[in-house]
Amino acid sequence: MNNINKVLIVAAHPDDEILGCGGTIARHIDQNDEVSVLFLTDGVSSRNASLSDKILKNEKDKRKNAALEVSRYLGYSNIVFGTFPDNKCDTVPLLDIVQFIEKNIDILKPNIVYTHFCNDLNIDHRKTFEAVITAARPTNSSSIDSIYSFEVPSSTEWNFSNEVKQFSPNHFINIQRYFEKKEYALKCYEMEIRAFPFPRSFKGIDALATFRGAQSGFSKAEAFMVVRQKFK
């Protein structure tokens, strides 16, 4: 009998979890692993400062409801919504974010964590990574064995600076059987999908999964960078 993994995805915004590792989530669920998702921000409140409070609340509710619909469809119930400022995670003390993540790690006790790449273009993604690495320090009491960074189309590949490390995956997960579930889950976030050739388009996401599959010998794959991994 296979051991059941406790998996935690820490994402800056609702939709990042599916863009980055939606197929992998579906695979974990299929393997009877316990999956939890932790969001830091609402993902929408920074977009238009002129929106009325009523319209902004409606937009935030739409995004939250989409995340809940995704969780029901894929089959996990542990979902936590943080209230940090959208696209302004650099304006709050990092310790506040770290303690929020630590609290949930203590409750959920994951052994596998997926989160953002450290050098994404989006500031919230970068701060999420930094906070996760701090919250998931490898102490004797830590439950965490593995941490992986995922890529998010229109953020990971858009940091063109030659001064930062680029996303270079060294861990690939076969999602051929689960790509349709990833596509369906993305339809719940259709308000975030753009027309091709935008990378966060259905065609662009399909192309990325095909490319990562070709890199690793699969028809479709999601790619990750190993941040930390230990074997007991």
Side-chain angles (χ1 to χ4, degrees):
M1 182 175 176
N2 293 330
N3 293 328
I4 294 176
N5 290 303
K6 291 188 174 182
V7 179
L8 175 63
I9 294 90
V10 184
H13 320 103
D15 81 343
D16 290 333
E17 82 285 16
I18 301 303
L19 290 166
C21 57
T24 298
I25 291 173
R27 180 173 175 140
H28 277 297
I29 295 294
D30 192 41
Q31 294 172 345
N32 295 317
D33 292 335
E34 296 179 15
V35 173
S36 304
V37 176
L38 175 64
F39 298 115
L40 297 189
T41 81
D42 57 60
V44 296
S45 57
S46 68
R47 294 189 171 177
N48 193 333
S50 65
L51 291 179
S52 68
D53 290 344
K54 182 177 180 180
I55 293 175
L56 179 58
K57 182 180 184 304
N58 182 59
E59 290 300 308
K60 291 165 66 173
D61 287 346
K62 280 171 59 179
R63 183 71 81 90
K64 182 176 181 178
N65 289 334
L68 291 170
E69 183 180 353
V70 165
S71 71
R72 289 190 293 268
Y73 169 67
L74 290 181
Y76 59 89
S77 58
N78 293 329
I79 183 168
V80 181
F81 296 93
T83 58
F84 294 99
D86 178 47
N87 269 293
K88 295 180 181 178
C89 281
D90 57 330
T91 66
V92 300
L94 182 66
L95 180 61
D96 291 353
I97 306 175
V98 169
Q99 290 179 336
F100 174 72
I101 297 172
E102 281 180 331
K103 176 183 175 182
N104 284 280
I105 287 175
D106 288 344
I107 293 169
L108 299 168
K109 301 191 182 308
N111 63 298
I112 299 174
V113 174
Y114 296 97
T115 194
H116 292 280
F117 175 56
C118 62
N119 286 324
D120 273 11
L121 183 64
N122 186 284
I123 186 62
D124 287 354
H125 294 188
R126 299 201 299 272
K127 287 300 177 182
T128 299
F129 173 87
E130 190 175 353
V132 167
I133 294 306
T134 307
R137 298 180 298 279
T139 63
N140 289 338
S141 60
S142 176
S143 63
I144 298 168
D145 297 327
S146 304
I147 304 174
Y148 303 103
S149 286
F150 51 69
E151 58 185 334
V152 174
S154 76
S155 181
T156 306
E157 82 284 10
W158 275 2
N159 192 343
F160 293 111
S161 172
N162 291 324
E163 298 178 358
V164 300
K165 179 176 68 174
Q166 300 299 308
F167 186 78
S168 300
N170 53 9
H171 182 74
F172 298 84
I173 294 181
N174 182 357
I175 62 165
Q176 179 180 352
R177 290 176 51 198
Y178 306 101
F179 187 73
E180 287 187 6
K181 286 192 172 183
K182 175 169 179 157
E183 281 192 311
Y184 184 89
L186 283 169
K187 289 178 182 178
C188 299
Y189 291 120
E190 197 152 11
M191 72 288 286
E192 297 303 310
I193 303 299
R194 303 291 183 262
F196 188 77
F198 199 86
R200 200 172 65 247
S201 61
F202 287 116
K203 188 174 179 180
I205 292 161
D206 182 276
L208 180 60
T210 301
F211 173 65
R212 294 307 188 194
Q215 279 187 306
S216 53
F218 304 122
S219 295
K220 301 281 187 187
E222 286 175 336
F224 303 87
M225 286 185 66
V226 177
V227 178
R228 194 176 80 223
Q229 193 174 65
K230 68 180 181 181
F231 297 94
K232 295 179 179 179

